[in-house]
Amino acid sequence: MSGESGTGLRRDAIGLREVLFQSITAMAPAAAVAASIPSGAAFAGGSLPLAVLIALVACLFTASCVAELARELPAAGSVSTYAAQGLHPVVGFLVGWGYVFVEALVPPLLLLQLGFTTAGTLHQEWSSYPADLWWPWALAGAAVIAAAGYFGVRASARFGTVLGAFEILVFLVFAVWLIVRAGSHNTLSVFGTSHTPDGYEGVSGVFAGSVYTVLAFAGFEAAAPLAEETRDPRRTMHRAVLGAALAIGLFYVLTTYAMTVYFGPERFAGFGASGDASWEGVARASFGLFWVLVFLAVVNSAVANANACANVSTRTAFALARIRVLPRLFAALHPRYRSPVAGIAVQSAVAVGAVLGLGLGYDPVTAFLLLATVIVTVVIGVYIVVNLACAGYFLRRGREALKPVRHLVLPLLGIAAFVPALLTAAGLPVFDFVTELTAPVSYAGPIVGIWMVAGLVVLIMLMRRHPGRIAETARVHLDEPAPTDPTDPADPADPAQNGATHR
């Protein structure tokens, strides 16, 4: 293994198709359609397609900001670099500290879903299979993801492309089938407010549904950490981030519309993630063995999402380790595949430990909800900071680079869209539709707080001993040569001392 100072990550290894599916699979479209988006049905009812459409527009505000910054600052550090350049290196460090933590928790989250979904379905089909024998499936998924990451970004990204294409194809075919079978029940009224349930009538129900639906869009930025391994990264990253958010958003609108008109808008408030009134339930009742494909697509989505987010966490850790704000171990690369093998090993250990520790300590569903709350809370906070960073970055560059609508108005709209989602994810009952979290899911807040306090302690130590390392969070390594001394990389309190200047 060699550190970043030799060859670095593999340059020009992947193109638009692979990075597009990196973001797509990080959004877990099949799992979102089957499990996440239906959570908004209790509030929006048969008007859920309108809620999804509103969520799409809201998420495009932030996706536009990420895409603008990804084009200007192609870096494996992604959101950390954006915050450092647009706001301050201290903010960049804290964003990176939080982001690498929660992205490392996404694979165990999805492995838990893989385990309990597979075990539950097998038990339903063959009662002799124990419903609680979920963990072998989770461990098998962990092994597959580790192997894909070990063989480098090309293998991992192509693996994700195949998985992502399969899950999208299955649900698109099913959606078209539902629309055809709905016949005369097809109606554009589901894009209005007339089908909201009692207690959440009109706009209030649609707003509540859209807040829960926004959470299904998380992950559109996942292409950005692969910038240093991508051909023509400035152009490719911009297209991948925006393209994934728009394409999957439209996919969500189509599939939600299809199920709503087929199931019936007036009774859609009772639709959910499991049972007869669910995607798998409808497939079982009306479409014979097609339910098997729906089940496989959801399982496939869990694996694909875990694979994509393992790429994100290991690349973000690599970016922070090469400037020595994380242990240098995370910057170790495989001499042939140029994959961050030490980071992959740590990521795999964290995944297995979290899956078995939390899944067996509580149960896999409770563990899933706890991890999901931790992850979504931090990720949405990162989105809000990135919106601010977009405005800050282009304001600093001057009038010629600044486009007021794109770089000021859209960031403000993005912040406005994600603040309600942040409050909802954290279980803060600011709105009447927010459910207060109960233990152990309520432990998510203290977990995040402890991690960020630890980050502040590390930050203070680095600022006192090695302030230049914090400044390096703003560095774009594709633009400037990295330090060549592998034993003591630059500590640029004065960037001019080592030739590292910031954009």
Side-chain angles (χ1 to χ4, degrees):
M1 293 185 296
S2 63
E4 184 271 345
S5 60
T7 53
L9 295 168
R10 185 182 296 278
R11 300 289 173 87
D12 300 330
I14 52 177
L16 176 60
R17 179 185 62 190
E18 289 85 3
V19 292
L20 177 64
F21 273 92
Q22 164 74 7
S23 278
I24 286 174
T25 53
M27 296 169 74
V33 168
S36 178
I37 291 175
S39 64
F43 308 101
S47 295
L48 189 60
L50 174 60
V52 175
L53 185 61
I54 292 173
L56 166 59
V57 174
C59 287
L60 284 176
F61 298 146
T62 298
S64 173
C65 293
V66 174
E68 288 291 299
L69 291 169
R71 178 164 55 189
E72 295 289 323
L73 306 168
S78 64
V79 293
S80 176
T81 306
Y82 307 159
Q85 289 261 3
L87 299 172
H88 193 278
V90 166
V91 181
F93 168 81
L94 291 174
V95 166
W97 178 265
Y99 192 63
V100 74
F101 172 61
V102 297
E103 289 297 326
L105 295 180
V106 175
L109 171 82
L110 275 301
L111 293 173
L112 285 164
Q113 184 181 28
L114 171 65
F116 65 68
T117 299
T118 304
T121 301
L122 291 177
H123 177 72
Q124 187 175 357
E125 290 300 303
W126 298 283
S127 58
S128 60
Y129 186 90
D132 59 353
L133 191 58
W134 55 269
W135 56 267
W137 300 103
L139 294 183
V144 170
I145 293 162
Y150 174 83
F151 288 109
V153 70
R154 187 172 293 161
S156 180
R158 288 178 178 174
F159 177 58
T161 299
V162 173
L163 295 180
F166 173 76
E167 63 182 284
I168 290 171
L169 179 62
V170 169
F171 272 84
L172 281 178
V173 170
F174 195 16
V176 172
W177 202 351
L178 290 171
I179 291 171
V180 172
R181 290 285 294 271
S184 61
H185 295 289
N186 279 283
T187 174
L188 293 179
S189 65
V190 295
F191 291 102
T193 61
S194 60
H195 300 296
T196 50
D198 294 339
Y200 295 99
E201 292 89 352
V203 175
S204 63
V206 172
F207 173 74
S210 69
V211 169
Y212 280 89
T213 303
V214 160
L215 306 181
F217 285 81
F220 57 78
E221 83 292 350
L226 303 189
E228 296 178 27
E229 299 162 280
T230 302
R231 295 186 292 274
D232 191 9
R234 297 182 188 280
R235 182 167 177 262
T236 302
M237 288 298 121
H238 187 271
R239 295 169 66 188
V241 171
L242 270 181
L246 179 60
I248 296 305
L250 294 175
F251 170 80
Y252 289 162
V253 172
L254 174 65
T255 51
T256 305
Y257 168 82
M259 183 55 78
T260 303
V261 295
Y262 178 83
F263 191 81
E266 298 306 323
R267 59 195 188 103
F268 204 68
F271 197 81
S274 61
D276 294 336
S278 68
W279 276 86
E280 185 177 322
V282 170
R284 282 178 177 272
S286 305
F287 297 93
L289 289 177
F290 193 84
W291 74 267
V292 176
L293 288 178
V294 173
F295 160 70
L296 290 176
V298 173
V299 168
N300 168 103
S301 187
V303 175
N305 190 350
N307 175 68
C309 291
N311 285 337
V312 172
S313 67
T314 54
R315 269 61 183 183
T316 305
F318 169 85
L320 295 176
R322 69 180 164 190
I323 59 173
R324 297 183 71 185
V325 297
L326 285 184
R328 187 68 174 168
L329 171 72
F330 289 100
L333 299 176
H334 190 282
R336 176 181 176 187
Y337 301 116
R338 310 251 279 279
S339 56
V341 286
I344 291 168
V346 173
Q347 167 71 80
S348 300
V350 168
V352 171
V355 164
L356 297 181
L358 294 175
L360 297 176
Y362 296 109
D363 62 76
V365 175
T366 300
F368 176 90
L369 294 174
L370 172 58
L371 289 178
T373 305
V374 171
I375 292 164
V376 172
T377 301
V378 175
V379 168
I380 292 179
V382 168
Y383 289 163
I384 291 172
V385 174
V386 169
N387 278 298
L388 289 171
C390 181
Y393 177 79
F394 286 99
L395 281 171
R396 289 180 176 183
R397 294 196 64 191
R399 292 185 178 181
E400 292 184 1
L402 180 67
K403 296 178 174 60
V405 172
R406 189 181 302 175
H407 301 145
L408 296 179
V409 175
L410 293 187
L412 289 175
L413 291 175
I415 293 169
F418 274 109
V419 166
L422 177 63
L423 298 172
T424 301
L428 300 176
V430 176
F431 306 105
D432 59 3
F433 57 80
V434 177
T435 302
E436 191 170 353
L437 301 179
T438 58
V441 179
S442 60
Y443 301 159
I447 290 171
V448 172
I450 291 170
W451 179 256
M452 295 311 296
V453 167
L456 284 172
V457 172
V458 173
L459 173 64
I460 292 170
M461 293 174 58
L462 288 172
M463 290 296 291
R464 291 181 63 182
R465 299 180 183 178
H466 307 286
R469 296 182 188 178
I470 300 300
E472 283 282 86
T473 57
R475 183 172 181 164
V476 180
H477 286 252
L478 276 181
D479 290 344
E480 300 157 4
T484 58
D485 181 2
T487 61
D488 186 18
D491 193 9
D494 178 5
Q497 292 178 358
N498 58 25
T501 55
H502 296 175
R503 288 173 58 87

